[in-house]
Amino acid sequence: MIAAAELHIATQPAPICPACGASGNVALTNCRDYVCGLPGAWSFRECTRCHLLWLDPRPTGESIPLLYPPRYGFTRSPVVSEIGNENTFTGSVKLALVERVYGYPGVRSLGRSDLGARLGDLFAPVLSLARKAGYAVRFLPARPGGKLLDVGCGNGSFLHLMRRLAWEVQGIEPDPEAAAIAAAQNLCVEVADVTRAELPDSYFDAITLTHVAEHFPAPAAAFATLARALKPGGIIVSISPNPAGVVRRLFGNKWYQLDPPRHFVIPSERAYRAILEPLGFNVQIWTSMRMSYWAIRESMSIARAGAAHRSGGGFLSRLLHIGVVMVSFLLPGSGEEVICYATKK
């Protein structure tokens, strides 16, 4: 095993925005790997046109395997339910919302609280709550027998859930160890980079990417590949960190979700539109505060201890989270995650 201090990550210049081709100014410097401790200080440019953040210089393609050492365990955890704890009151509310709003029959019966289910029915018209519950199914309406591709499927938790909900599921995952965990669930997973995967044209009804787009060195090429594999009327859902979020503005180069050098790009709303609209998509964008407490906690750990997962919890993190959520209500588009819901014409 190569020690982090001895590791050499080859880089190449990246002066042009990989989403829209415009120029950009250096927005963040001295950004470091606070998760795995890989060497180097990194810089992000911000596009003057679409406001995407991207690494410049960036690791070469040959260096990408070095960016994910064994201690990078996000994709390799055991399979857990994507719905959440079905025995809780809030779990019953969420299940009822998923059934009522997104059309998955019988899902509410998995819950254990009749009161929670009734409240879910009552809250179904509330868009913010419907979207919060819909995260579990990536906002996809029920389509029994529909073909779903999850890009960067990791251990297969999401595919496992959607198979239960009558989708025909398939995954792409570049990490062989994570793909093996998914395969143990009898899931069909191809070990490949998305641009090299064997995807049939006009085949899938839906394609999902959950915190995956930020790992693409060339996001426009990756989404073009996925667009060809999607049927007309099909849906792409991509969820990624928000470069215009209030947490990023608050923590600067200590923002946990920068995660260099693994995050090559951090797409903005305009960047998603610049990529997907020329490919023939109708694009809807909103932001979510779903991961804001986690992002605040880890960013505070970086600011305090110089590393993630150490000392970011406690009263101050919770107090800051309350303030950040309040600010997000006043500033549309400032949530922690960008959610891109694009329908192919």
Side-chain angles (χ1 to χ4, degrees), residues 6 57 76 135 159 188 202-203 206 211 215 238 250 268 288 313 323 328:
E6 301 172 359
R76 303 164 187 162
Y135 194 108
L159 290 177
C188 178
S202 301
Y203 181 77
H211 286 263
H215 296 265
S238 181
L250 185 63
S268 63
S288 166
S328 73

Side-chain angles (χ1 to χ4, degrees), residues 13 19 76 79 99-100 109 156 171 180 182 235 251 286 299 311 316 333 337:
R76 303 164 187 162
V79 175
E99 178 168 332
R100 183 75 177 269
S109 66
I235 299 165
F251 285 98
W286 65 93
S299 299
S311 63
L316 184 57
E337 292 176 302

Side-chain angles (χ1 to χ4, degrees), residues 149-152 172 193-195 197 199-204 206-209 212-213 216 219-231 235-238 276 279 281 344:
L149 175 68
D150 190 32
V151 178
I172 298 174
D193 174 85
V194 66
T195 57
L199 302 177
D201 290 348
S202 301
Y203 181 77
F204 295 101
I207 298 175
T208 53
L209 308 92
V212 171
F216 291 153
F223 279 103
T225 297
L226 298 177
R228 287 193 295 272
L230 196 67
K231 295 176 182 177
I235 299 165
I236 285 180
V237 179
S238 181
L276 288 167
L279 295 173
F281 283 86
K344 188 175 180 181

